[in-house]
Structures are given as C-alpha cells and as structure tokens.
Amino acid sequence: MEEDARYLKKKIKTGAIDVHPTLSAIVVHFEVEATILGEAGDPMLGENKQSQKTIMIKNLVPGTDLRKLSEVIVEKCNLIHPSKIPELEQLLYYLQTRKIKVSAETVDQEMERIRQAASQFDDIDEIQEKADLNELESYVDLLYDDMKTKTRGTSLILQLARNPDNLAD
C-alpha cells in the first residue's frame, strides 16, 4: 500500500470566526482534510482534523478604524475569506467595546497593590525646595538613589524645565 501512494492532497475548510473569551483576540476555526492519493488519483487514506488559529489584536482603542483593521487581518490571514470582512468588523467592534468581568477578589488585590505603590509617594507634595539651574548636575545624580530621592530629583528638574528662561541656553 505504501508503494502505491504517490500524492498528498490537503484541503482547508474554514469555519466560524469568534472572539476569544478572555483575550483581545479573534479565533478562526478551520478543518484540515488530508488525503493520500494513489497513482490513478483515487483516494487511499484520508483524515480530517479540526483546528483553530488565534489572532491577537493589539492596541484596539476606541478610535481604531475597524474596517481597515478587518481588511488587514483578512489580507494577512488566508483562513478568512474577504466576504467575511463585515462579520470580522462586527467581532472587532464587540472586542473594542466589551468589558472583561473581573472578580471582586481580583479587584481588591489590585487596589491593595496600587495603594502600596502609591504609599511611597505620599510625601511628594512636601517638596518645597526651590530649584537652582546651577545645581542641575546634582539633581541628575539624585536620579540614581532610592525612590524618594529620585522623586525629589525629578521634581527639581521639572521645576527647572517649567521655567522658560532655563530652556533658552
């Protein structure tokens, strides 16, 4: 039987296009049909396999032109026929506007992490030091110390940058 096998015929049938349940991605379902043909072209052995391709969508913001994005996706992914552009555009709109549900526990954990990160900046408003252009080099040196000192150095450099007279040189 192996000696008679001469050709492999591969056929791809596209299926449904969906949005990924949690990621910002489009999922394209398809079926690969592989058939081994004999010398006379008659099918000897065939196998079908269901598969899917996940297309990650990055930077999908409210101002994104969904029509053009759909066209680019169809151009780059040969599994999606150009006739599916309107459907793909609808799916991208859904992705753009959906809000992923997050558990209350996850929100609490994230809020605690933000509070801890912000606590190191609680005394940021206490910096009342007046910046001096002649001390710029020492302010830059402050950027290489701990976070509180970095914040102080950044604040002093910002004071200098906000003064147009300092920017003339």
Side-chain angles (χ1 to χ4, degrees):
M1 186 170 183
E2 288 290 328
E3 297 169 1
D4 295 335
R6 299 285 179 196
Y7 306 101
L8 176 65
K9 181 179 174 185
K10 185 170 107 176
K11 187 175 184 181
I12 297 175
K13 295 180 182 177
T14 57
I17 304 171
D18 296 317
V19 293
H20 193 278
T22 56
L23 300 175
S24 180
I26 298 290
V27 179
V28 181
H29 300 274
F30 61 97
E31 180 180 354
V32 178
E33 185 179 294
T35 308
I36 298 174
L37 302 175
E39 274 187 39
D42 54 325
M44 294 176 60
L45 181 66
E47 186 177 330
N48 293 350
K49 181 180 177 189
Q50 298 288 330
S51 193
Q52 64 185 26
K53 178 177 178 125
T54 303
I55 303 168
M56 298 302 295
I57 309 295
K58 298 178 183 172
N59 301 328
L60 189 61
V61 295
T64 303
D65 184 351
L66 299 178
R67 178 78 175 171
K68 285 192 181 203
L69 181 57
S70 299
E71 291 169 358
V72 168
I73 291 171
V74 167
E75 182 181 306
K76 290 185 178 183
C77 180
N78 59 358
L79 294 173
I80 305 173
H81 192 271
S83 66
K84 298 276 189 173
I85 288 177
E87 180 183 348
L88 184 57
E89 196 174 338
Q90 278 298 114
L91 294 170
L92 289 171
Y93 176 75
Y94 173 76
L95 267 180
Q96 188 179 47
T97 57
R98 83 170 172 188
K99 297 196 181 348
I100 305 230
K101 293 181 178 146
V102 182
S103 69
E105 182 179 308
T106 306
V107 171
D108 291 343
Q109 289 172 350
E110 186 65 17
M111 289 300 291
E112 183 59 32
R113 189 187 67 75
I114 291 170
R115 278 190 208 101
Q116 288 175 355
S119 68
Q120 58 185 316
F121 298 109
D122 285 344
D123 56 336
I124 199 166
D125 294 329
E126 295 175 11
I127 300 174
Q128 298 296 326
E129 189 177 344
K130 183 77 172 151
D132 180 10
L133 186 58
N134 296 327
E135 296 295 319
L136 178 60
E137 194 170 313
S138 64
Y139 300 155
V140 172
D141 290 339
L142 294 174
L143 299 177
Y144 297 99
D145 291 336
D146 65 337
M147 188 56 79
K148 192 172 185 179
T149 309
K150 285 180 184 181
T151 304
R152 179 175 162 251
T154 305
S155 175
L156 292 167
I157 293 170
L158 180 61
Q159 281 183 37
L160 293 174
R162 285 185 175 163
N163 185 346
D165 296 334
N166 294 334
L167 299 176
D169 292 333

